[in-house]
Amino acid sequence: MDEFMQAAIDEARLGLSEGGVPIGSVLVHKGIILGRGHNRRVQKGSAILHGETDALEHAGRQPASLYRESVLYTTLSPCAMCSGAILLYGIPRVVVGENRTFMGEEELLRSRGVQVEVLQNEECISLMRTFIAEKPELWNEDIGV
């Protein structure tokens, strides 16, 4: 498995162990992880700390040119909020662990020129299916249902 997707999965597992939603993400620039994150809505009482936004936050303030040369890895298809952040910062490529349990805004990203690669990684699928079955109310809250 790709080391960067594995890092995103590790973040998702960390989030789950903290009592949160198991979605992880890493921002990679030229083979170096700049920021790691996982969904921390529960842990921080946050409305916006999804895996992708947490990874961006942990990458810190960066020049726009750096984002335009980066890849965002995420265990789950990015929601509208996270897709907006991807577009805002001009991240050209997103590698998605899976989109079977949740289909985010992949078509929006593609329509704006972002390369979206979906792996359908079995570990990502299993993590989310188990979580959704065990905590449907928390999952629905996370996706705004």
Side-chain angles (χ1 to χ4, degrees):
M1 178 188 312
D2 181 294
E3 68 180 290
F4 302 122
M5 182 51 66
Q6 184 60 59
I9 292 170
D10 293 345
E11 285 292 323
R13 290 198 173 283
L14 179 58
L16 183 62
S17 75
E18 296 170 350
V21 181
I23 302 169
S25 185
V26 294
L27 180 67
V28 178
H29 180 257
K30 296 185 178 182
I32 297 170
I33 295 175
L34 296 178
R36 301 171 173 267
H38 53 275
N39 186 304
R40 294 180 199 248
R41 291 187 68 248
V42 172
Q43 301 91 312
K44 298 283 188 177
S46 171
I48 61 168
L49 279 179
H50 282 193
E52 299 90 338
T53 56
D54 194 42
L56 288 168
E57 177 69 16
H58 284 111
R61 188 173 165 201
Q62 301 292 337
S65 60
L66 183 135
Y67 294 111
R68 290 190 299 266
E69 298 174 339
S70 295
V71 179
L72 186 73
Y73 289 77
T74 181
T75 58
L76 187 65
S77 185
C79 72
M81 177 178 66
C82 295
S83 294
I86 291 163
L87 294 173
L88 177 68
Y89 290 106
I91 297 169
R93 183 170 174 237
V94 178
V95 179
V96 176
E98 66 105 350
N99 64 8
R100 290 185 184 156
T101 60
F102 176 78
M103 173 59 78
E105 298 295 330
E106 294 174 24
E107 288 310 312
L108 170 65
L109 292 171
R110 287 184 180 107
S111 76
R112 299 282 296 273
V114 177
Q115 178 188 353
V116 179
E117 178 183 353
V118 182
L119 304 177
Q120 302 303 11
N121 176 283
E122 288 301 323
E123 189 172 359
C124 294
I125 294 167
S126 177
L127 264 171
M128 286 309 301
R129 281 190 177 153
T130 300
F131 177 79
I132 291 167
E134 291 176 357
K135 297 186 178 179
E137 68 290 335
L138 184 54
W139 171 242
N140 287 335
E141 175 192 321
D142 196 66
I143 59 171
V145 174

